[in-house]
Amino acid sequence: MPFLLPGAAGSVTLTGTATYESVPNPNGGLVYASTSLKPVRGAALEVVDAASSAQLAVATTDDSGAYSVTVPANSTVFVRVRAQLTRAAPGPAWDVSVRDNTQAGALYSMQTSAFSSGTTASTHDLRAATGWDGAKYGGPRVAAPFAILDTVYTAMQKVLSVAPATSFPPLRVYWSPKNAPTGGAATAADLASGQIGTTFFINRSTGREIYVLGKEDADTDEFDAPVIAHEWGHYYQSSFSRDDSAGGDHSGNDRVDRRLAFSEGWGNAWSGIALGRSTYMDSSGPGQADGQPLDLTVGPASNPGWYRETSIESIFWNLNRQVGFKPINDAMTSLQFRSAAPVTSIHLFAAAFNAVAPGNAAALKSLLAGQGITSTDAYGAGESNNDSAAATPVPNVLPMYRPLAVGVLANNIACISNVAGTGNKLGNISYLSFSVLASRDYTIQVTSGGAPGAPDFDLFKAGLVARSGNKVSLGAGDYVLAVRDTAFIPDPNNPPPPRCFSVLVQ
């Protein structure tokens, strides 16, 4: 709703429409020749006194990009639209802003030239241009932050369509034409210089953030709506669901850790669910012309399973097509999913989904079977897919969780392999489950018994359990240990044999 700030004598109405130039990505690369105008929806707008910089009126653009405000007559003013979505409680609330990480987090905006408000109503439109001159970005890339903002707006509307009371935690999205696929976001200095490595989501102690690539002729993502929506899918997990993935390098061809497969498969599928499309696109290269479409409707051509992100994305995308997003959202936000001891995986999701949407269990079971997944138990009990269809199967991947008894040394129970790669790949992490009956301090020891290796572990119950050293205070209940070997060196041509570690919880 428009709002006139106090202090004016006599007023006039200003109206207009805010739009941005949108570059489509139908098949992988950007097609500048097909650029079209789209409305800037839900954005914060203000009318500012040109002389004093005082804010004279505020409003929010509607779904057609239109605005209407009342301002003092005969004042020299300009209209500014900020790359920001805001709505205050009560009811659903949000605060999303697109900022420049290479300019101390400055908020992006666009504005008209100064003009006299006069004595009668007048119209003042705003248009954010791409800056593309036919061969390169020759002008300011004003449209970029508004394109990003609109993808986030679309994602939020999808959630609101099934959960209309949702309030969204604040989100800052950082984009800059300097943001390059180099570096790796290791330090604040990297981020401030634009060396962000890739487009990514992160949940810091200071809030949730998405960093977006923008380096021309290398990798720009502002018009790659699926990429933005994918990262917003991780924001959704962080805000309303749960995500135990450790992240790291991955591709659709990899066999990866169950947590990573679920997280990345969800992100890709969510992009299609939110945007209403069946393909995932990511442009790159000279002229932003490179890229190949990823079909979200089908899994991998060979060796599908719970360890393939392309299997997971096809399950989610097709499940949404068959039963709609509401039961998926209900499962992802359920206590059965968020508070369980098992780590996030397609098995945990299946168990939660079947609990909250039993009438749709048959649809999910069929989709799981189509991707070679045979269990809907949260722990994957009874899962029979052991990667045997691979050219070089990963050993010891089943059972998905090995039971551990408190107070009993389990010799060589956690076996680690880097046949599929290192760090976050299938076989790099061995999962153990155990229960404690008494609330007290426990000591967890993972040892190699003098054999090669440097074992370490993470502890989970409804997410990662914080610990310092091997001693941890645990309440009664079920827990999961994720054991890994920090000494494995990547050597795909000559992987070492599996290394097995002994574990004692006491």
Side-chain angles (χ1 to χ4, degrees):
M1 293 290 293
F3 176 66
L4 177 62
L5 296 177
S11 61
V12 295
T13 299
L14 305 181
T15 59
T17 302
T19 58
Y20 72 95
E21 296 178 354
S22 175
V23 185
N25 183 345
N27 294 301
L30 299 187
V31 183
Y32 292 97
S34 297
T35 297
S36 63
L37 280 184
K38 291 186 176 181
V40 176
R41 302 179 294 166
L45 178 143
E46 61 185 348
V47 180
V48 179
D49 184 279
S52 67
S53 297
Q55 189 183 68
L56 301 179
V58 295
T60 299
T61 61
D62 65 17
D63 276 2
S64 63
Y67 72 92
S68 177
V69 291
T70 302
V71 301
N74 291 318
S75 298
T76 302
V77 301
F78 60 86
V79 180
R80 175 188 290 147
V81 177
R82 302 195 301 267
Q84 186 170 23
L85 310 170
T86 59
R87 189 186 190 284
W94 51 82
D95 183 359
V96 180
S97 57
V98 184
R99 299 172 177 272
D100 187 346
N101 52 289
T102 66
Q103 294 293 326
L107 177 67
Y108 283 105
S109 64
M110 63 173 169
Q111 64 189 47
T112 66
S113 299
F115 61 91
S116 174
S117 60
T119 58
T120 60
S122 57
T123 298
H124 304 271
D125 295 333
L126 299 94
R127 174 171 173 166
T130 63
W132 187 254
D133 65 10
K136 65 182 184 307
Y137 283 118
R141 294 162 64 178
V142 185
F146 291 100
I148 294 168
L149 194 73
D150 196 62
T151 298
V152 173
Y153 184 86
T154 299
M156 292 199 306
Q157 294 305 308
K158 185 64 179 181
V159 173
L160 290 168
S161 72
V162 301
T166 302
S167 286
F168 298 84
L171 172 66
R172 290 191 171 196
V173 185
Y174 291 100
W175 174 87
S176 167
K178 297 179 182 178
N179 283 356
T182 54
T187 66
D190 289 333
L191 298 177
S193 67
Q195 305 302 298
I196 70 169
T198 186
T199 296
F200 68 94
F201 165 79
I202 186 169
N203 184 13
R204 303 185 189 278
S205 60
T206 53
R208 294 168 173 85
E209 300 171 348
I210 295 174
Y211 286 80
V212 181
L213 290 167
K215 183 67 173 178
E216 181 180 4
D217 294 328
D219 198 339
T220 68
D221 281 339
E222 60 266 24
F223 295 117
D224 294 337
V227 176
I228 307 300
H230 173 112
E231 299 306 329
W232 195 92
H234 294 321
Y235 161 88
Y236 167 95
Q237 290 175 287
S238 168
S239 301
F240 310 115
S241 183
R242 174 180 160 195
D243 186 6
D244 296 335
S245 174
D249 293 338
H250 61 93
S251 77
N253 294 323
D254 289 336
R255 294 166 288 166
V256 298
D257 176 69
R258 67 197 66 176
R259 295 176 284 157
L260 182 67
F262 181 81
S263 181
E264 298 305 323
W266 156 256
N268 280 354
W270 165 253
S271 76
I273 293 169
L275 301 174
R277 57 191 298 170
S278 62
T279 53
Y280 180 90
M281 305 293 185
D282 184 6
S283 64
S284 62
Q288 295 65 246
D290 297 339
Q292 293 293 326
L294 172 63
D295 188 349
L296 301 174
T297 70
V298 297
S302 61
N303 193 27
W306 46 270
Y307 41 79
R308 301 291 298 276
E309 64 183 76
T310 46
S311 285
I312 308 306
E313 70 195 28
S314 72
I315 291 168
F316 270 117
W317 192 93
N318 286 288
L319 186 63
N320 176 75
R321 182 178 61 84
Q322 294 179 24
V323 307
F325 180 57
K326 187 178 188 307
I328 296 174
N329 179 71
D330 290 347
M332 291 287 283
T333 60
S334 68
L335 284 176
Q336 290 92 333
F337 187 83
R338 293 186 290 113
S339 299
V343 296
T344 50
S345 70
I346 192 60
H347 294 100
L348 177 57
F349 170 80
F353 184 87
N354 290 346
V356 302
N360 294 312
L364 177 58
K365 183 177 181 180
S366 176
L367 293 171
L368 292 170
Q371 295 301 315
I373 301 169
T374 60
S375 172
T376 58
D377 178 80
Y379 286 90
E383 179 59 57
S384 62
N385 188 338
N386 63 354
D387 190 42
S388 60
T392 54
V394 176
N396 304 309
V397 298
L398 294 180
M400 298 195 68
Y401 293 86
R402 287 177 167 78
L404 187 67
V406 173
V408 179
L409 175 65
N411 288 309
N412 299 323
I413 190 174
C415 294
I416 310 300
S417 167
N418 72 344
V419 168
T422 59
N424 58 7
K425 304 302 186 291
L426 179 65
N428 294 164
I429 301 166
S430 179
Y431 291 90
L432 313 175
S433 62
F434 67 96
S435 300
V436 299
L437 300 179
S439 298
R440 61 174 177 85
D441 289 344
Y442 289 83
T443 300
I444 301 173
Q445 297 176 332
V446 183
T447 57
S448 62
D456 200 356
F457 67 90
D458 291 310
L459 181 65
F460 292 90
K461 180 180 177 63
L464 186 66
V465 176
R467 67 180 178 91
S468 177
N470 290 351
K471 181 174 286 188
V472 60
S473 180
L474 302 179
D478 300 328
Y479 293 86
V480 161
L481 273 181
V483 179
R484 62 187 186 275
D485 183 358
T486 62
F488 260 141
I489 299 174
D491 186 1
N493 297 319
N494 186 29
R499 295 172 176 173
C500 295
F501 304 126
S502 299
V503 179
L504 174 63
V505 179
Q506 63 179 357

